[in-house]
Amino acid sequence: GQNIDQPTEMTATEGAIVQINCTYQTSGFNGLFWYQQHAGEAPTFLSYNVLDGLEEKGRFSSFLSRSKGYSYLLLKELQMKDSASYLCAVIKAAGNKLTFGGGTRVLVKP
Amino acid sequence: KAGVTQTPRYLIKTRGQQVTLSCSPISGHRSVSWYQQTPGQGLQFLFEYFSETQRNKGNFPGRFSGRQFSNSRSEMNVSTLELGDSALYLCASTLLPGNQPQHFGDGTRLSIL
């Protein structure tokens, strides 16, 4: 089976930086996705990592270490609209099945 | 380009009934996956379809079934509904199966009374 762990909740201040960690245990790893989900809305794609290292996309960056089974999503210059749940998901070599972590709810305070 | 469309958006059923949910993928996308989202279990994979064939199935009872049509639209069916089936059902599509970002629809919120 697969085990994907991420913190349940984090609070940060507008303009600050927050790092959301995700650890996973799986066989046949073929990539890790990060999604953002606002309450009552669909998850939207943020980033994808398949090789080790950092992928930067504007205010959001994602890092992967396959040997450690570890990823993080870094949100910089936090804005109020970044208050949402952030979901870490792993995809295996065969097929399109995403296995999600429980999600991290981020609350941005003024 | 229109996104993934799911209908209906909201549905209320009673125990023992059955329900059919519909998903139209992004135009040109041929792979459709279904997920169930609940507060307790989070997002869980139900099944995946490509070229009208089920390629993967999650750990759900046989009451949960699905199919895909030649135009890539997909339906999922839940029979003999139970209270625990109350959830947000999300559909996602990709061009082809594989490690590509899945694009989600807004979901169907199913409530069982």
Side-chain angles (χ1 to χ4, degrees), chain A residues 20-59:
Chain A
I20 305 168
N21 295 325
C22 171
T23 58
Y24 64 89
Q25 291 174 308
T26 186
S27 56
F29 175 85
N30 200 34
L32 187 143
F33 291 88
W34 283 96
Y35 282 85
Q36 179 192 60
Q37 187 177 27
H38 285 100
E41 297 182 12
T44 54
F45 168 74
L46 290 178
S47 69
Y48 170 62
N49 295 71
V50 63
L51 300 175
D52 289 352
L54 188 67
E55 294 279 342
E56 294 186 84
K57 205 187 277 188
R59 294 188 300 114

Short mmCIF file of all heavy atoms in Angstrom, two decimals, chain A residues 20-59:
data_model
loop_
_atom_site.label_atom_id
_atom_site.label_comp_id
_atom_site.label_asym_id
_atom_site.label_seq_id
_atom_site.Cartn_x
_atom_site.Cartn_y
_atom_site.Cartn_z
N ILE A 20 5.03 23.42 3.37
CA ILE A 20 4.16 22.29 3.68
C ILE A 20 4.92 21.03 3.28
O ILE A 20 5.26 20.83 2.12
CB ILE A 20 2.85 22.36 2.89
CG1 ILE A 20 2.15 23.70 3.13
CG2 ILE A 20 1.94 21.20 3.28
CD1 ILE A 20 0.99 23.96 2.17
N ASN A 21 5.16 20.17 4.27
CA ASN A 21 5.91 18.95 4.02
C ASN A 21 4.99 17.78 3.71
O ASN A 21 3.85 17.72 4.18
CB ASN A 21 6.76 18.60 5.25
CG ASN A 21 7.82 19.65 5.52
OD1 ASN A 21 8.38 20.23 4.61
ND2 ASN A 21 8.09 19.90 6.80
N CYS A 22 5.52 16.87 2.92
CA CYS A 22 4.78 15.65 2.56
C CYS A 22 5.77 14.50 2.52
O CYS A 22 6.79 14.59 1.84
CB CYS A 22 4.11 15.85 1.20
SG CYS A 22 3.37 14.35 0.50
N THR A 23 5.49 13.46 3.27
CA THR A 23 6.33 12.26 3.21
C THR A 23 5.50 11.11 2.67
O THR A 23 4.29 11.04 2.93
CB THR A 23 6.92 11.89 4.58
OG1 THR A 23 5.83 11.69 5.50
CG2 THR A 23 7.83 12.98 5.10
N TYR A 24 6.15 10.23 1.92
CA TYR A 24 5.41 9.14 1.31
C TYR A 24 6.22 7.86 1.33
O TYR A 24 7.46 7.88 1.37
CB TYR A 24 5.01 9.50 -0.13
CG TYR A 24 6.19 9.70 -1.06
CD1 TYR A 24 6.73 8.64 -1.76
CD2 TYR A 24 6.77 10.96 -1.22
CE1 TYR A 24 7.82 8.81 -2.60
CE2 TYR A 24 7.86 11.14 -2.04
CZ TYR A 24 8.39 10.06 -2.74
OH TYR A 24 9.47 10.25 -3.55
N GLN A 25 5.50 6.75 1.31
CA GLN A 25 6.13 5.44 1.17
C GLN A 25 5.35 4.72 0.09
O GLN A 25 4.14 4.51 0.24
CB GLN A 25 6.03 4.65 2.48
CG GLN A 25 6.87 5.20 3.61
CD GLN A 25 6.60 4.45 4.91
OE1 GLN A 25 5.46 4.30 5.33
NE2 GLN A 25 7.65 3.97 5.55
N THR A 26 5.99 4.38 -0.99
CA THR A 26 5.31 3.70 -2.07
C THR A 26 6.29 2.96 -2.94
O THR A 26 7.45 3.33 -3.02
CB THR A 26 4.50 4.71 -2.92
OG1 THR A 26 3.73 3.99 -3.89
CG2 THR A 26 5.42 5.67 -3.67
N SER A 27 5.79 1.95 -3.63
CA SER A 27 6.60 1.26 -4.64
C SER A 27 6.15 1.77 -6.00
O SER A 27 5.03 2.24 -6.16
CB SER A 27 6.38 -0.24 -4.54
OG SER A 27 5.01 -0.53 -4.66
N GLY A 28 7.04 1.72 -6.96
CA GLY A 28 6.67 2.13 -8.30
C GLY A 28 6.39 3.62 -8.42
O GLY A 28 5.57 4.04 -9.25
N PHE A 29 7.06 4.43 -7.63
CA PHE A 29 6.85 5.88 -7.66
C PHE A 29 7.12 6.44 -9.05
O PHE A 29 8.14 6.14 -9.67
CB PHE A 29 7.79 6.53 -6.63
CG PHE A 29 7.75 8.03 -6.64
CD1 PHE A 29 6.79 8.72 -5.93
CD2 PHE A 29 8.67 8.76 -7.37
CE1 PHE A 29 6.76 10.10 -5.93
CE2 PHE A 29 8.65 10.15 -7.38
CZ PHE A 29 7.69 10.81 -6.65
N ASN A 30 6.17 7.29 -9.52
CA ASN A 30 6.36 7.88 -10.84
C ASN A 30 6.07 9.37 -10.84
O ASN A 30 5.85 9.96 -11.89
CB ASN A 30 5.49 7.18 -11.87
CG ASN A 30 5.98 7.40 -13.28
OD1 ASN A 30 7.18 7.50 -13.53
ND2 ASN A 30 5.06 7.51 -14.22
N GLY A 31 6.02 9.96 -9.66
CA GLY A 31 5.83 11.41 -9.63
C GLY A 31 4.96 11.86 -8.48
O GLY A 31 4.20 11.07 -7.90
N LEU A 32 5.09 13.14 -8.14
CA LEU A 32 4.32 13.69 -7.04
C LEU A 32 3.70 15.01 -7.47
O LEU A 32 4.38 15.86 -8.07
CB LEU A 32 5.24 13.90 -5.82
CG LEU A 32 4.58 14.31 -4.51
CD1 LEU A 32 5.27 13.65 -3.34
CD2 LEU A 32 4.54 15.81 -4.35
N PHE A 33 2.43 15.15 -7.18
CA PHE A 33 1.69 16.35 -7.54
C PHE A 33 1.30 17.13 -6.29
O PHE A 33 1.06 16.55 -5.23
CB PHE A 33 0.39 15.97 -8.26
CG PHE A 33 0.57 15.36 -9.62
CD1 PHE A 33 0.76 14.00 -9.77
CD2 PHE A 33 0.52 16.16 -10.75
CE1 PHE A 33 0.92 13.43 -11.02
CE2 PHE A 33 0.67 15.60 -12.01
CZ PHE A 33 0.87 14.24 -12.15
N TRP A 34 1.18 18.43 -6.46
CA TRP A 34 0.58 19.29 -5.44
C TRP A 34 -0.64 19.97 -6.07
O TRP A 34 -0.57 20.50 -7.18
CB TRP A 34 1.55 20.35 -4.95
CG TRP A 34 2.58 19.82 -3.99
CD1 TRP A 34 3.85 19.42 -4.30
CD2 TRP A 34 2.44 19.66 -2.58
NE1 TRP A 34 4.51 19.02 -3.15
CE2 TRP A 34 3.67 19.16 -2.08
CE3 TRP A 34 1.40 19.91 -1.66
CZ2 TRP A 34 3.89 18.89 -0.74
CZ3 TRP A 34 1.60 19.64 -0.33
CH2 TRP A 34 2.84 19.13 0.14
N TYR A 35 -1.74 19.93 -5.30
CA TYR A 35 -2.98 20.57 -5.71
C TYR A 35 -3.41 21.55 -4.63
O TYR A 35 -3.16 21.34 -3.45
CB TYR A 35 -4.09 19.54 -5.92
CG TYR A 35 -4.01 18.79 -7.22
CD1 TYR A 35 -3.20 17.65 -7.34
CD2 TYR A 35 -4.73 19.20 -8.34
CE1 TYR A 35 -3.13 16.96 -8.53
CE2 TYR A 35 -4.65 18.51 -9.54
CZ TYR A 35 -3.85 17.40 -9.62
OH TYR A 35 -3.77 16.71 -10.81
N GLN A 36 -4.11 22.59 -5.05
CA GLN A 36 -4.73 23.54 -4.13
C GLN A 36 -6.25 23.37 -4.22
O GLN A 36 -6.78 23.23 -5.32
CB GLN A 36 -4.36 24.98 -4.53
CG GLN A 36 -4.97 26.07 -3.65
CD GLN A 36 -4.81 27.45 -4.26
OE1 GLN A 36 -5.29 27.72 -5.37
NE2 GLN A 36 -4.13 28.33 -3.57
N GLN A 37 -6.90 23.36 -3.08
CA GLN A 37 -8.36 23.25 -3.09
C GLN A 37 -8.97 24.25 -2.13
O GLN A 37 -8.78 24.15 -0.92
CB GLN A 37 -8.80 21.82 -2.72
CG GLN A 37 -10.30 21.61 -2.88
CD GLN A 37 -10.73 20.18 -2.60
OE1 GLN A 37 -10.08 19.48 -1.84
NE2 GLN A 37 -11.82 19.75 -3.22
N HIS A 38 -9.71 25.22 -2.68
CA HIS A 38 -10.47 26.13 -1.84
C HIS A 38 -11.76 25.44 -1.45
O HIS A 38 -12.26 24.56 -2.16
CB HIS A 38 -10.77 27.44 -2.60
CG HIS A 38 -9.59 28.34 -2.72
ND1 HIS A 38 -8.83 28.44 -3.86
CD2 HIS A 38 -9.03 29.19 -1.84
CE1 HIS A 38 -7.84 29.31 -3.68
NE2 HIS A 38 -7.94 29.77 -2.46
N ALA A 39 -12.27 25.84 -0.29
CA ALA A 39 -13.48 25.21 0.25
C ALA A 39 -14.60 25.25 -0.77
O ALA A 39 -14.91 26.31 -1.34
CB ALA A 39 -13.90 25.91 1.53
N GLY A 40 -15.21 24.10 -1.02
CA GLY A 40 -16.34 24.02 -1.94
C GLY A 40 -15.97 24.06 -3.40
O GLY A 40 -16.86 24.13 -4.26
N GLU A 41 -14.67 24.01 -3.70
CA GLU A 41 -14.25 24.07 -5.10
C GLU A 41 -13.45 22.82 -5.49
O GLU A 41 -13.09 22.01 -4.65
CB GLU A 41 -13.42 25.33 -5.34
CG GLU A 41 -14.19 26.62 -5.11
CD GLU A 41 -13.35 27.85 -5.43
OE1 GLU A 41 -12.27 27.73 -6.03
OE2 GLU A 41 -13.79 28.95 -5.04
N ALA A 42 -13.16 22.71 -6.79
CA ALA A 42 -12.37 21.58 -7.29
C ALA A 42 -10.90 21.78 -6.98
O ALA A 42 -10.43 22.92 -6.90
CB ALA A 42 -12.56 21.46 -8.80
N PRO A 43 -10.15 20.70 -6.81
CA PRO A 43 -8.70 20.84 -6.68
C PRO A 43 -8.12 21.39 -7.98
O PRO A 43 -8.55 21.02 -9.08
CB PRO A 43 -8.22 19.40 -6.46
CG PRO A 43 -9.41 18.65 -6.01
CD PRO A 43 -10.58 19.31 -6.68
N THR A 44 -7.14 22.30 -7.87
CA THR A 44 -6.47 22.81 -9.07
C THR A 44 -4.98 22.49 -8.98
O THR A 44 -4.37 22.57 -7.91
CB THR A 44 -6.66 24.33 -9.22
OG1 THR A 44 -6.24 24.97 -8.01
CG2 THR A 44 -8.10 24.69 -9.48
N PHE A 45 -4.42 22.13 -10.11
CA PHE A 45 -3.03 21.69 -10.20
C PHE A 45 -2.08 22.83 -9.89
O PHE A 45 -2.22 23.95 -10.40
CB PHE A 45 -2.78 21.15 -11.62
CG PHE A 45 -1.33 20.95 -11.94
CD1 PHE A 45 -0.64 19.88 -11.41
CD2 PHE A 45 -0.66 21.83 -12.78
CE1 PHE A 45 0.70 19.68 -11.70
CE2 PHE A 45 0.68 21.63 -13.09
CZ PHE A 45 1.36 20.56 -12.55
N LEU A 46 -1.07 22.56 -9.05
CA LEU A 46 -0.04 23.54 -8.74
C LEU A 46 1.31 23.14 -9.33
O LEU A 46 1.98 23.95 -9.98
CB LEU A 46 0.13 23.70 -7.23
CG LEU A 46 -0.99 24.39 -6.46
CD1 LEU A 46 -0.68 24.40 -4.98
CD2 LEU A 46 -1.20 25.81 -6.98
N SER A 47 1.73 21.88 -9.05
CA SER A 47 3.07 21.51 -9.49
C SER A 47 3.20 20.00 -9.60
O SER A 47 2.39 19.24 -9.04
CB SER A 47 4.13 22.03 -8.51
OG SER A 47 4.04 21.33 -7.28
N TYR A 48 4.24 19.59 -10.33
CA TYR A 48 4.54 18.18 -10.53
C TYR A 48 6.04 17.98 -10.45
O TYR A 48 6.79 18.71 -11.10
CB TYR A 48 4.01 17.73 -11.89
CG TYR A 48 4.45 16.35 -12.31
CD1 TYR A 48 4.09 15.23 -11.57
CD2 TYR A 48 5.21 16.17 -13.46
CE1 TYR A 48 4.48 13.97 -11.96
CE2 TYR A 48 5.62 14.91 -13.86
CZ TYR A 48 5.25 13.80 -13.10
OH TYR A 48 5.64 12.55 -13.48
N ASN A 49 6.47 17.03 -9.64
CA ASN A 49 7.89 16.68 -9.55
C ASN A 49 8.06 15.19 -9.82
O ASN A 49 7.34 14.38 -9.22
CB ASN A 49 8.44 16.97 -8.14
CG ASN A 49 8.44 18.44 -7.78
OD1 ASN A 49 7.39 19.04 -7.55
ND2 ASN A 49 9.62 19.02 -7.72
N VAL A 50 8.99 14.86 -10.69
CA VAL A 50 9.30 13.45 -10.90
C VAL A 50 10.79 13.21 -10.65
O VAL A 50 11.18 12.11 -10.24
CB VAL A 50 8.88 12.98 -12.31
CG1 VAL A 50 9.65 13.70 -13.39
CG2 VAL A 50 9.03 11.47 -12.44
N LEU A 51 11.61 14.25 -10.86
CA LEU A 51 13.04 14.15 -10.57
C LEU A 51 13.36 14.92 -9.30
O LEU A 51 12.63 15.84 -8.92
CB LEU A 51 13.85 14.70 -11.74
CG LEU A 51 13.65 14.00 -13.08
CD1 LEU A 51 14.41 14.73 -14.18
CD2 LEU A 51 14.07 12.54 -12.99
N ASP A 52 14.46 14.56 -8.67
CA ASP A 52 14.88 15.27 -7.46
C ASP A 52 15.18 16.72 -7.77
O ASP A 52 15.71 17.05 -8.82
CB ASP A 52 16.16 14.61 -6.88
CG ASP A 52 15.87 13.26 -6.28
OD1 ASP A 52 14.70 12.88 -6.17
OD2 ASP A 52 16.86 12.57 -5.93
N GLY A 53 14.85 17.57 -6.81
CA GLY A 53 15.20 18.98 -6.97
C GLY A 53 14.03 19.89 -6.78
O GLY A 53 12.94 19.47 -6.37
N LEU A 54 14.27 21.14 -7.09
CA LEU A 54 13.29 22.20 -6.85
C LEU A 54 12.69 22.67 -8.18
O LEU A 54 13.40 22.92 -9.14
CB LEU A 54 14.01 23.37 -6.16
CG LEU A 54 13.17 24.52 -5.63
CD1 LEU A 54 12.30 24.05 -4.47
CD2 LEU A 54 14.07 25.67 -5.19
N GLU A 55 11.38 22.79 -8.19
CA GLU A 55 10.67 23.35 -9.34
C GLU A 55 10.03 24.65 -8.87
O GLU A 55 9.26 24.65 -7.91
CB GLU A 55 9.55 22.40 -9.81
CG GLU A 55 10.03 21.09 -10.37
CD GLU A 55 10.48 21.22 -11.82
OE1 GLU A 55 10.11 22.20 -12.48
OE2 GLU A 55 11.19 20.30 -12.29
N GLU A 56 10.35 25.75 -9.56
CA GLU A 56 9.82 27.03 -9.13
C GLU A 56 8.82 27.55 -10.14
O GLU A 56 9.05 27.50 -11.35
CB GLU A 56 10.96 28.04 -8.95
CG GLU A 56 11.90 27.65 -7.81
CD GLU A 56 12.95 28.69 -7.51
OE1 GLU A 56 12.65 29.63 -6.75
OE2 GLU A 56 14.07 28.57 -8.03
N LYS A 57 7.71 28.07 -9.61
CA LYS A 57 6.65 28.59 -10.49
C LYS A 57 6.05 29.80 -9.79
O LYS A 57 5.11 29.69 -9.02
CB LYS A 57 5.60 27.49 -10.69
CG LYS A 57 4.81 27.61 -11.97
CD LYS A 57 3.69 26.59 -12.03
CE LYS A 57 4.12 25.24 -12.51
NZ LYS A 57 2.95 24.34 -12.73
N GLY A 58 6.63 30.95 -10.04
CA GLY A 58 6.12 32.17 -9.41
C GLY A 58 6.31 32.14 -7.90
O GLY A 58 7.40 31.85 -7.41
N ARG A 59 5.23 32.36 -7.17
CA ARG A 59 5.33 32.38 -5.70
C ARG A 59 5.39 30.98 -5.10
O ARG A 59 5.66 30.82 -3.92
CB ARG A 59 4.14 33.13 -5.10
CG ARG A 59 4.08 34.60 -5.43
CD ARG A 59 2.96 35.32 -4.64
NE ARG A 59 1.64 34.77 -4.91
CZ ARG A 59 0.90 34.13 -4.01
NH1 ARG A 59 1.36 33.91 -2.80
NH2 ARG A 59 -0.30 33.70 -4.35
#
